[in-house]
Amino acid sequence: MKIRCHRWRLFLSLIILCTVLLPTTTHAEVKYKTYTKDSYNNQIWLQPAYFPLDVIGEDLYTTDPKQPTVKIPSPLSNPKDIFIDAKNEVYIVDTGNNRIVHLTETGKLIRYLTLNESPLIKPEGIFVTKEGDIYIADTGNKRVVKLDKTGKLQMEFKRPESKYIPATFVYDPAKVMVDERGFMYIVVHGGYEGIVLLDPKGKFQGFFGANKTALSPLDAIKRMLYTKKMYANEVAKRPETINSVATDKNGYIYTVTGGMTKSDQLKKLNIKGNNLLRSGNKNFGEVVPGDVPIGPVTSGPQLIDVAVDQSGNMIVVDQQFKYISHYDASGRLLYFWGGISAVGSSQVGLLKSPVALDVNSKNELYVLDDQENIVQVFRLSEFGQKVDQANQQTLAGLYQDSEKSWQEVLRMNAQFTPAIMGLAQAAFTKEQYPDALRLFKEAGNQEGYSDAFWQIRMSWLQQNFSWIASLFFFSGLLYVLLSKWTFTRRLSDNWRNRQRIQTSFFMNFKHVFYMMKHPIDGFIAIRYEGKGSYLSAIIILACVYASLVIKRLVTSFSFNASTHVDIYSIFTQFFTVWIAWVISNYLVSSIYRGEGRFRDIFIASAYALIPYIIIGIPLAFISNVMTMSESTIYHYVEQGMIVWIGLLIFWKIQWIHNYSVGETLLNILFTLCTMLVIGVLLFLTAGLTNDLVSLILEMYQEAILR
């Protein structure tokens, strides 16, 4: 009995000890999920990079005017912006209450800024300089005001006067940022012209960082075909407006754009307004369709604000899907997390309507929610801290120093692509090129893979140059000697005078090679001399399909980043398009004075693809000894092959149907349109058939159940 009691006491003691010693960084039970994406855009689950630390701004009070000793609740109302100054003090733009709420780092109230001498009306943005000067975007008053550290009004900046500002320009300041020179960058509602740039005295210096107008292919066609008068009647296409602006300790300027734009939603601009991030990046503002209850919303991410932490990492918040995405200083995705809070309840870590965020000197993240009227505070987890540490070493060029840090990150999550990339760069720096080659491929970095292979190839050539040169020399010498021998000539004459097998299949297949040299005569022979056969055409199509598969499988990673080859998908896509082309061309030609028979179109369309076999397969194998420095040669040959096929198809239509050049072009256009119509009809038919089958099955099941 005593032994049992002793065991129970020991067991309870161990539980208590484990509870006490449990690391403070363990916060696995957060309400949101954290993800990243690998190099192939696959979604990867991660352990939390941030965990909730605190909620501030929910217990604000003000003095009762009738009873000065009594405090009454004064919660935030529709707040629109948040800023954390150099002392980690928090400023919240309390738009609904026409005030600025000044809090300590922990959320204790310091003061309210209401500007009694010139009251604020619906302010939406704020910026505090290192010296303590406060700039407020006073939207309702259509101005920006500058206060000193005591909250006293110093200057106000209303709509600037300049001939370079359009008369229709509406000056409604929404966000404001001030650089170290004292120049103000003012984001205005609907300001598609860009950010308004003012000097310290309020003089207009121009528009900054404007987005480009996104034109669809249809718009481009309209611009080519419409007259100026017709195009003037179209709805004007304007750039998307900037939602917010921020800066970092190095003076770079960051902007985010929502709307319908799909690229350059996040920009990192230098003083000249040049975007330093990769142009056209479409991954800014990550979305997780499987986990986000999108509902009726079909638009993309709506980036509403951006902040930059002490490491130079960019943090953006998506108001549409309630996700927060993190990118390093070069624009590479690190991770994204968050999600929508349940309706009718408040869940720590989840968001309902995030409108702004900022980071303090400890890299703690403050997220403002204008529906919950609170600020949620998040702190980096152990995983997030290690990722940040390793990434900073990599960005600083300390690849070998970062190796240990990245290995620790991979120990936590073996699929974290930035860690694999960091180890690849470390291996390359240590001249461990085979390991670097493997890791670069795993990380999906084609440029790094090519550089590592270039080093391996160079090393191999240096080690084997002597016997390679000797092989070429003696091979040339042997050829010269053999060409002079009578025996060789006799063998050559006997080969040329051999009795050849003249079967119909052999002759039809041989016609393919004749057509490569004389395409016009070759297509005329198919139409009027009966050259070619269905069997040879089918064999060529099978070879083209095999070439497509071989090209996907064999082409070097430097030129083909895909790692998964779906043979069935390739088969379906290739033969569907080819058969649709043949049928559409036959239908159009039958109506539009074409002389070609279905047999001629079928055979000639197959023969026209032969360059893909004789060029595509060798090019795929040769790519494995090439690097991206020879990409010009690779793409030149590949594009030349496509041009050759295009010319053969053009000549095929022209001479099979006996068309002029203009008629040939019209035939191609009509054929493509017919293919589109057939595709739409098949899609509709398949959809209606599925609906009909489902209806019949439901009726049958209902009848059986009853």
Side-chain angles (χ1 to χ4, degrees), residues 214-252:
L215 295 176
S216 65
L218 180 60
D219 294 323
I221 295 174
K222 287 180 178 179
R223 294 186 69 177
M224 289 190 298
L225 301 179
Y226 283 16
T227 63
K228 290 183 178 180
K229 186 177 181 180
M230 292 171 62
Y231 196 74
N233 294 327
E234 290 287 311
V235 177
K237 295 283 183 177
R238 302 192 186 281
E240 295 289 350
T241 58
I242 295 171
N243 287 337
S244 187
V245 61
T247 187
D248 63 8
K249 57 186 177 182
N250 296 317
Y252 293 114

mmCIF file of all heavy atoms in Angstrom, residues 214-252:
data_model
loop_
_atom_site.group_PDB
_atom_site.id
_atom_site.type_symbol
_atom_site.label_atom_id
_atom_site.label_comp_id
_atom_site.label_asym_id
_atom_site.label_seq_id
_atom_site.Cartn_x
_atom_site.Cartn_y
_atom_site.Cartn_z
ATOM 1 N N ALA A 214 -3.672 48.529 -65.917
ATOM 2 C CA ALA A 214 -3.746 47.141 -66.360
ATOM 3 C C ALA A 214 -4.720 47.033 -67.528
ATOM 4 O O ALA A 214 -5.916 47.300 -67.384
ATOM 5 C CB ALA A 214 -4.197 46.245 -65.217
ATOM 6 N N LEU A 215 -4.201 46.657 -68.695
ATOM 7 C CA LEU A 215 -5.029 46.514 -69.891
ATOM 8 C C LEU A 215 -5.185 45.045 -70.237
ATOM 9 O O LEU A 215 -4.212 44.290 -70.248
ATOM 10 C CB LEU A 215 -4.391 47.263 -71.068
ATOM 11 C CG LEU A 215 -4.297 48.792 -70.936
ATOM 12 C CD1 LEU A 215 -3.567 49.374 -72.129
ATOM 13 C CD2 LEU A 215 -5.684 49.404 -70.811
ATOM 14 N N SER A 216 -6.403 44.649 -70.506
ATOM 15 C CA SER A 216 -6.681 43.274 -70.910
ATOM 16 C C SER A 216 -6.369 43.105 -72.394
ATOM 17 O O SER A 216 -6.231 44.094 -73.129
ATOM 18 C CB SER A 216 -8.150 42.945 -70.651
ATOM 19 O OG SER A 216 -8.979 43.745 -71.482
ATOM 20 N N PRO A 217 -6.241 41.861 -72.878
ATOM 21 C CA PRO A 217 -6.044 41.640 -74.315
ATOM 22 C C PRO A 217 -7.141 42.283 -75.163
ATOM 23 O O PRO A 217 -6.876 42.788 -76.256
ATOM 24 C CB PRO A 217 -6.051 40.114 -74.445
ATOM 25 C CG PRO A 217 -5.598 39.620 -73.109
ATOM 26 C CD PRO A 217 -6.147 40.599 -72.128
ATOM 27 N N LEU A 218 -8.388 42.299 -74.628
ATOM 28 C CA LEU A 218 -9.486 42.929 -75.365
ATOM 29 C C LEU A 218 -9.249 44.426 -75.501
ATOM 30 O O LEU A 218 -9.527 45.018 -76.558
ATOM 31 C CB LEU A 218 -10.808 42.653 -74.647
ATOM 32 C CG LEU A 218 -12.061 43.246 -75.301
ATOM 33 C CD1 LEU A 218 -12.232 42.687 -76.712
ATOM 34 C CD2 LEU A 218 -13.290 42.958 -74.453
ATOM 35 N N ASP A 219 -8.719 45.054 -74.447
ATOM 36 C CA ASP A 219 -8.419 46.488 -74.517
ATOM 37 C C ASP A 219 -7.355 46.773 -75.570
ATOM 38 O O ASP A 219 -7.426 47.772 -76.290
ATOM 39 C CB ASP A 219 -7.952 46.994 -73.155
ATOM 40 C CG ASP A 219 -9.055 46.935 -72.111
ATOM 41 O OD1 ASP A 219 -10.203 47.205 -72.480
ATOM 42 O OD2 ASP A 219 -8.761 46.618 -70.946
ATOM 43 N N ALA A 220 -6.353 45.901 -75.640
ATOM 44 C CA ALA A 220 -5.293 46.089 -76.631
ATOM 45 C C ALA A 220 -5.839 45.992 -78.054
ATOM 46 O O ALA A 220 -5.459 46.767 -78.937
ATOM 47 C CB ALA A 220 -4.193 45.046 -76.410
ATOM 48 N N ILE A 221 -6.772 45.054 -78.272
ATOM 49 C CA ILE A 221 -7.389 44.911 -79.598
ATOM 50 C C ILE A 221 -8.215 46.151 -79.932
ATOM 51 O O ILE A 221 -8.191 46.656 -81.067
ATOM 52 C CB ILE A 221 -8.255 43.639 -79.646
ATOM 53 C CG1 ILE A 221 -7.365 42.396 -79.500
ATOM 54 C CG2 ILE A 221 -9.051 43.585 -80.947
ATOM 55 C CD1 ILE A 221 -8.145 41.103 -79.384
ATOM 56 N N LYS A 222 -8.935 46.663 -78.931
ATOM 57 C CA LYS A 222 -9.738 47.867 -79.159
ATOM 58 C C LYS A 222 -8.856 49.053 -79.541
ATOM 59 O O LYS A 222 -9.208 49.849 -80.422
ATOM 60 C CB LYS A 222 -10.536 48.200 -77.897
ATOM 61 C CG LYS A 222 -11.703 47.266 -77.619
ATOM 62 C CD LYS A 222 -12.431 47.688 -76.353
ATOM 63 C CE LYS A 222 -13.622 46.788 -76.079
ATOM 64 N NZ LYS A 222 -14.333 47.172 -74.840
ATOM 65 N N ARG A 223 -7.710 49.178 -78.874
ATOM 66 C CA ARG A 223 -6.823 50.303 -79.175
ATOM 67 C C ARG A 223 -6.284 50.220 -80.592
ATOM 68 O O ARG A 223 -6.011 51.239 -81.229
ATOM 69 C CB ARG A 223 -5.674 50.332 -78.174
ATOM 70 C CG ARG A 223 -6.120 50.634 -76.754
ATOM 71 C CD ARG A 223 -4.961 50.791 -75.806
ATOM 72 N NE ARG A 223 -4.205 52.000 -76.084
ATOM 73 C CZ ARG A 223 -3.174 52.422 -75.364
ATOM 74 N NH1 ARG A 223 -2.777 51.721 -74.316
ATOM 75 N NH2 ARG A 223 -2.536 53.522 -75.673
ATOM 76 N N MET A 224 -6.119 48.993 -81.092
ATOM 77 C CA MET A 224 -5.616 48.827 -82.453
ATOM 78 C C MET A 224 -6.696 49.077 -83.498
ATOM 79 O O MET A 224 -6.426 49.653 -84.555
ATOM 80 C CB MET A 224 -5.028 47.414 -82.625
ATOM 81 C CG MET A 224 -3.713 47.193 -81.894
ATOM 82 S SD MET A 224 -2.926 45.616 -82.351
ATOM 83 C CE MET A 224 -4.167 44.457 -81.809
ATOM 84 N N LEU A 225 -7.928 48.647 -83.195
ATOM 85 C CA LEU A 225 -8.978 48.675 -84.207
ATOM 86 C C LEU A 225 -9.855 49.916 -84.143
ATOM 87 O O LEU A 225 -10.354 50.372 -85.170
ATOM 88 C CB LEU A 225 -9.849 47.418 -84.076
ATOM 89 C CG LEU A 225 -9.129 46.068 -84.231
ATOM 90 C CD1 LEU A 225 -10.112 44.918 -84.057
ATOM 91 C CD2 LEU A 225 -8.444 45.968 -85.590
ATOM 92 N N TYR A 226 -10.064 50.473 -82.957
ATOM 93 C CA TYR A 226 -10.979 51.602 -82.820
ATOM 94 C C TYR A 226 -10.317 52.899 -83.292
ATOM 95 O O TYR A 226 -9.104 53.074 -83.211
ATOM 96 C CB TYR A 226 -11.380 51.790 -81.360
ATOM 97 C CG TYR A 226 -12.421 50.808 -80.857
ATOM 98 C CD1 TYR A 226 -12.709 49.638 -81.550
ATOM 99 C CD2 TYR A 226 -13.125 51.055 -79.674
ATOM 100 C CE1 TYR A 226 -13.647 48.748 -81.081
ATOM 101 C CE2 TYR A 226 -14.064 50.158 -79.191
ATOM 102 C CZ TYR A 226 -14.317 49.004 -79.908
ATOM 103 O OH TYR A 226 -15.244 48.115 -79.451
ATOM 104 N N THR A 227 -11.162 53.796 -83.773
ATOM 105 C CA THR A 227 -10.689 55.152 -84.051
ATOM 106 C C THR A 227 -10.583 55.910 -82.727
ATOM 107 O O THR A 227 -11.081 55.460 -81.687
ATOM 108 C CB THR A 227 -11.663 55.878 -84.988
ATOM 109 O OG1 THR A 227 -12.931 56.004 -84.320
ATOM 110 C CG2 THR A 227 -11.843 55.108 -86.288
ATOM 111 N N LYS A 228 -9.955 57.087 -82.752
ATOM 112 C CA LYS A 228 -9.809 57.870 -81.527
ATOM 113 C C LYS A 228 -11.168 58.253 -80.948
ATOM 114 O O LYS A 228 -11.373 58.243 -79.734
ATOM 115 C CB LYS A 228 -8.992 59.134 -81.809
ATOM 116 C CG LYS A 228 -7.524 58.853 -82.101
ATOM 117 C CD LYS A 228 -6.761 60.158 -82.289
ATOM 118 C CE LYS A 228 -5.282 59.877 -82.530
ATOM 119 N NZ LYS A 228 -4.511 61.139 -82.713
ATOM 120 N N LYS A 229 -12.105 58.557 -81.844
ATOM 121 C CA LYS A 229 -13.432 58.943 -81.386
ATOM 122 C C LYS A 229 -14.155 57.760 -80.745
ATOM 123 O O LYS A 229 -14.807 57.897 -79.700
ATOM 124 C CB LYS A 229 -14.238 59.498 -82.563
ATOM 125 C CG LYS A 229 -15.594 60.054 -82.159
ATOM 126 C CD LYS A 229 -16.307 60.668 -83.370
ATOM 127 C CE LYS A 229 -17.657 61.238 -82.950
ATOM 128 N NZ LYS A 229 -18.367 61.839 -84.103
ATOM 129 N N MET A 230 -14.032 56.592 -81.364
ATOM 130 C CA MET A 230 -14.682 55.401 -80.821
ATOM 131 C C MET A 230 -14.067 55.018 -79.478
ATOM 132 O O MET A 230 -14.772 54.680 -78.524
ATOM 133 C CB MET A 230 -14.556 54.239 -81.810
ATOM 134 C CG MET A 230 -15.343 54.428 -83.105
ATOM 135 S SD MET A 230 -14.949 53.161 -84.334
ATOM 136 C CE MET A 230 -15.461 51.683 -83.489
ATOM 137 N N TYR A 231 -12.748 55.094 -79.394
ATOM 138 C CA TYR A 231 -12.077 54.698 -78.156
ATOM 139 C C TYR A 231 -12.349 55.691 -77.027
ATOM 140 O O TYR A 231 -12.362 55.335 -75.855
ATOM 141 C CB TYR A 231 -10.571 54.568 -78.390
ATOM 142 C CG TYR A 231 -9.860 53.799 -77.303
ATOM 143 C CD1 TYR A 231 -9.990 52.416 -77.211
ATOM 144 C CD2 TYR A 231 -9.084 54.453 -76.360
ATOM 145 C CE1 TYR A 231 -9.357 51.700 -76.216
ATOM 146 C CE2 TYR A 231 -8.439 53.748 -75.352
ATOM 147 C CZ TYR A 231 -8.579 52.370 -75.292
ATOM 148 O OH TYR A 231 -7.955 51.672 -74.293
ATOM 149 N N ALA A 232 -12.592 56.953 -77.402
ATOM 150 C CA ALA A 232 -12.885 57.967 -76.386
ATOM 151 C C ALA A 232 -14.215 57.694 -75.701
ATOM 152 O O ALA A 232 -14.439 58.136 -74.562
ATOM 153 C CB ALA A 232 -12.893 59.353 -77.025
ATOM 154 N N ASN A 233 -15.116 56.971 -76.386
ATOM 155 C CA ASN A 233 -16.413 56.655 -75.795
ATOM 156 C C ASN A 233 -16.355 55.481 -74.825
ATOM 157 O O ASN A 233 -17.322 55.206 -74.119
ATOM 158 C CB ASN A 233 -17.428 56.347 -76.902
ATOM 159 C CG ASN A 233 -17.730 57.569 -77.757
ATOM 160 O OD1 ASN A 233 -17.717 58.698 -77.254
ATOM 161 N ND2 ASN A 233 -17.995 57.350 -79.033
ATOM 162 N N GLU A 234 -15.206 54.786 -74.819
ATOM 163 C CA GLU A 234 -15.049 53.670 -73.897
ATOM 164 C C GLU A 234 -14.859 54.186 -72.465
ATOM 165 O O GLU A 234 -14.411 55.317 -72.253
ATOM 166 C CB GLU A 234 -13.823 52.822 -74.291
ATOM 167 C CG GLU A 234 -14.006 52.045 -75.576
ATOM 168 C CD GLU A 234 -14.955 50.874 -75.401
ATOM 169 O OE1 GLU A 234 -14.780 50.098 -74.446
ATOM 170 O OE2 GLU A 234 -15.885 50.751 -76.226
ATOM 171 N N VAL A 235 -15.201 53.333 -71.494
ATOM 172 C CA VAL A 235 -14.969 53.687 -70.088
ATOM 173 C C VAL A 235 -13.462 53.771 -69.859
ATOM 174 O O VAL A 235 -12.711 52.860 -70.205
ATOM 175 C CB VAL A 235 -15.594 52.638 -69.152
ATOM 176 C CG1 VAL A 235 -15.285 52.970 -67.694
ATOM 177 C CG2 VAL A 235 -17.092 52.556 -69.389
ATOM 178 N N ALA A 236 -13.022 54.888 -69.283
ATOM 179 C CA ALA A 236 -11.590 55.126 -69.106
ATOM 180 C C ALA A 236 -10.978 54.081 -68.177
ATOM 181 O O ALA A 236 -11.525 53.773 -67.117
ATOM 182 C CB ALA A 236 -11.362 56.527 -68.552
ATOM 183 N N LYS A 237 -9.842 53.526 -68.585
ATOM 184 C CA LYS A 237 -9.101 52.578 -67.763
ATOM 185 C C LYS A 237 -8.097 53.355 -66.917
ATOM 186 O O LYS A 237 -7.238 54.061 -67.460
ATOM 187 C CB LYS A 237 -8.372 51.561 -68.646
ATOM 188 C CG LYS A 237 -9.295 50.655 -69.446
ATOM 189 C CD LYS A 237 -9.892 49.578 -68.550
ATOM 190 C CE LYS A 237 -10.750 48.614 -69.353
ATOM 191 N NZ LYS A 237 -11.285 47.524 -68.526
ATOM 192 N N ARG A 238 -8.195 53.209 -65.622
ATOM 193 C CA ARG A 238 -7.303 53.948 -64.730
ATOM 194 C C ARG A 238 -6.544 52.966 -63.843
ATOM 195 O O ARG A 238 -7.035 51.872 -63.553
ATOM 196 C CB ARG A 238 -8.098 54.925 -63.866
ATOM 197 C CG ARG A 238 -8.921 55.929 -64.675
ATOM 198 C CD ARG A 238 -9.457 57.035 -63.789
ATOM 199 N NE ARG A 238 -10.351 57.927 -64.490
ATOM 200 C CZ ARG A 238 -9.971 58.902 -65.304
ATOM 201 N NH1 ARG A 238 -8.678 59.086 -65.525
ATOM 202 N NH2 ARG A 238 -10.849 59.682 -65.900
ATOM 203 N N PRO A 239 -5.375 53.381 -63.381
ATOM 204 C CA PRO A 239 -4.605 52.510 -62.482
ATOM 205 C C PRO A 239 -5.331 52.326 -61.158
ATOM 206 O O PRO A 239 -6.154 53.152 -60.767
ATOM 207 C CB PRO A 239 -3.279 53.265 -62.291
ATOM 208 C CG PRO A 239 -3.249 54.309 -63.360
ATOM 209 C CD PRO A 239 -4.674 54.631 -63.697
ATOM 210 N N GLU A 240 -5.002 51.234 -60.478
ATOM 211 C CA GLU A 240 -5.545 51.021 -59.143
ATOM 212 C C GLU A 240 -4.915 52.019 -58.171
ATOM 213 O O GLU A 240 -3.768 52.415 -58.325
ATOM 214 C CB GLU A 240 -5.261 49.591 -58.670
ATOM 215 C CG GLU A 240 -5.953 48.522 -59.491
ATOM 216 C CD GLU A 240 -7.450 48.479 -59.261
ATOM 217 O OE1 GLU A 240 -7.922 49.155 -58.318
ATOM 218 O OE2 GLU A 240 -8.148 47.784 -60.011
ATOM 219 N N THR A 241 -5.674 52.416 -57.175
ATOM 220 C CA THR A 241 -5.179 53.390 -56.207
ATOM 221 C C THR A 241 -4.390 52.694 -55.095
ATOM 222 O O THR A 241 -4.653 51.531 -54.758
ATOM 223 C CB THR A 241 -6.340 54.175 -55.579
ATOM 224 O OG1 THR A 241 -7.234 53.253 -54.944
ATOM 225 C CG2 THR A 241 -7.095 54.940 -56.648
ATOM 226 N N ILE A 242 -3.448 53.415 -54.530
ATOM 227 C CA ILE A 242 -2.615 52.897 -53.448
ATOM 228 C C ILE A 242 -3.395 52.973 -52.140
ATOM 229 O O ILE A 242 -4.060 53.970 -51.854
ATOM 230 C CB ILE A 242 -1.305 53.700 -53.362
ATOM 231 C CG1 ILE A 242 -0.486 53.477 -54.645
ATOM 232 C CG2 ILE A 242 -0.495 53.313 -52.144
ATOM 233 C CD1 ILE A 242 0.724 54.376 -54.767
ATOM 234 N N ASN A 243 -3.317 51.901 -51.333
ATOM 235 C CA ASN A 243 -4.056 51.848 -50.074
ATOM 236 C C ASN A 243 -3.269 52.373 -48.888
ATOM 237 O O ASN A 243 -3.849 52.943 -47.963
ATOM 238 C CB ASN A 243 -4.503 50.416 -49.776
ATOM 239 C CG ASN A 243 -5.649 49.976 -50.667
ATOM 240 O OD1 ASN A 243 -6.380 50.800 -51.201
ATOM 241 N ND2 ASN A 243 -5.784 48.678 -50.856
ATOM 242 N N SER A 244 -1.959 52.148 -48.883
ATOM 243 C CA SER A 244 -1.178 52.563 -47.727
ATOM 244 C C SER A 244 0.280 52.723 -48.125
ATOM 245 O O SER A 244 0.717 52.234 -49.166
ATOM 246 C CB SER A 244 -1.308 51.545 -46.591
ATOM 247 O OG SER A 244 -0.680 52.023 -45.415
ATOM 248 N N VAL A 245 1.038 53.409 -47.258
ATOM 249 C CA VAL A 245 2.452 53.672 -47.509
ATOM 250 C C VAL A 245 3.199 53.540 -46.188
ATOM 251 O O VAL A 245 2.670 53.837 -45.115
ATOM 252 C CB VAL A 245 2.655 55.072 -48.135
ATOM 253 C CG1 VAL A 245 2.151 56.162 -47.198
ATOM 254 C CG2 VAL A 245 4.113 55.300 -48.508
ATOM 255 N N ALA A 246 4.430 53.049 -46.256
ATOM 256 C CA ALA A 246 5.275 52.904 -45.062
ATOM 257 C C ALA A 246 6.726 53.099 -45.478
ATOM 258 O O ALA A 246 7.054 53.168 -46.672
ATOM 259 C CB ALA A 246 5.069 51.541 -44.414
ATOM 260 N N THR A 247 7.603 53.172 -44.491
ATOM 261 C CA THR A 247 9.034 53.313 -44.756
ATOM 262 C C THR A 247 9.809 52.483 -43.749
ATOM 263 O O THR A 247 9.240 51.991 -42.760
ATOM 264 C CB THR A 247 9.468 54.791 -44.683
ATOM 265 O OG1 THR A 247 10.829 54.905 -45.106
ATOM 266 C CG2 THR A 247 9.336 55.331 -43.267
ATOM 267 N N ASP A 248 11.109 52.296 -43.997
ATOM 268 C CA ASP A 248 11.954 51.564 -43.063
ATOM 269 C C ASP A 248 13.155 52.409 -42.681
ATOM 270 O O ASP A 248 13.289 53.567 -43.096
ATOM 271 C CB ASP A 248 12.386 50.217 -43.666
ATOM 272 C CG ASP A 248 13.250 50.373 -44.917
ATOM 273 O OD1 ASP A 248 13.647 51.512 -45.238
ATOM 274 O OD2 ASP A 248 13.531 49.365 -45.578
ATOM 275 N N LYS A 249 14.044 51.839 -41.893
ATOM 276 C CA LYS A 249 15.183 52.593 -41.387
ATOM 277 C C LYS A 249 16.190 52.924 -42.475
ATOM 278 O O LYS A 249 17.053 53.779 -42.286
ATOM 279 C CB LYS A 249 15.876 51.798 -40.278
ATOM 280 C CG LYS A 249 16.344 50.411 -40.697
ATOM 281 C CD LYS A 249 16.876 49.632 -39.505
ATOM 282 C CE LYS A 249 17.272 48.218 -39.911
ATOM 283 N NZ LYS A 249 17.745 47.428 -38.735
ATOM 284 N N ASN A 250 16.102 52.261 -43.617
ATOM 285 C CA ASN A 250 17.007 52.538 -44.736
ATOM 286 C C ASN A 250 16.437 53.553 -45.717
ATOM 287 O O ASN A 250 17.089 53.884 -46.704
ATOM 288 C CB ASN A 250 17.349 51.240 -45.469
ATOM 289 C CG ASN A 250 18.105 50.262 -44.597
ATOM 290 O OD1 ASN A 250 19.013 50.658 -43.861
ATOM 291 N ND2 ASN A 250 17.736 48.993 -44.658
ATOM 292 N N GLY A 251 15.233 54.015 -45.483
ATOM 293 C CA GLY A 251 14.642 55.035 -46.337
ATOM 294 C C GLY A 251 13.860 54.510 -47.516
ATOM 295 O O GLY A 251 13.380 55.303 -48.340
ATOM 296 N N TYR A 252 13.717 53.183 -47.650
ATOM 297 C CA TYR A 252 12.899 52.648 -48.733
ATOM 298 C C TYR A 252 11.422 52.910 -48.433
ATOM 299 O O TYR A 252 11.012 52.985 -47.267
ATOM 300 C CB TYR A 252 13.137 51.150 -48.910
ATOM 301 C CG TYR A 252 14.520 50.810 -49.404
ATOM 302 C CD1 TYR A 252 15.417 50.115 -48.606
ATOM 303 C CD2 TYR A 252 14.938 51.193 -50.678
ATOM 304 C CE1 TYR A 252 16.686 49.799 -49.049
ATOM 305 C CE2 TYR A 252 16.206 50.891 -51.137
ATOM 306 C CZ TYR A 252 17.079 50.198 -50.318
ATOM 307 O OH TYR A 252 18.335 49.908 -50.763
#
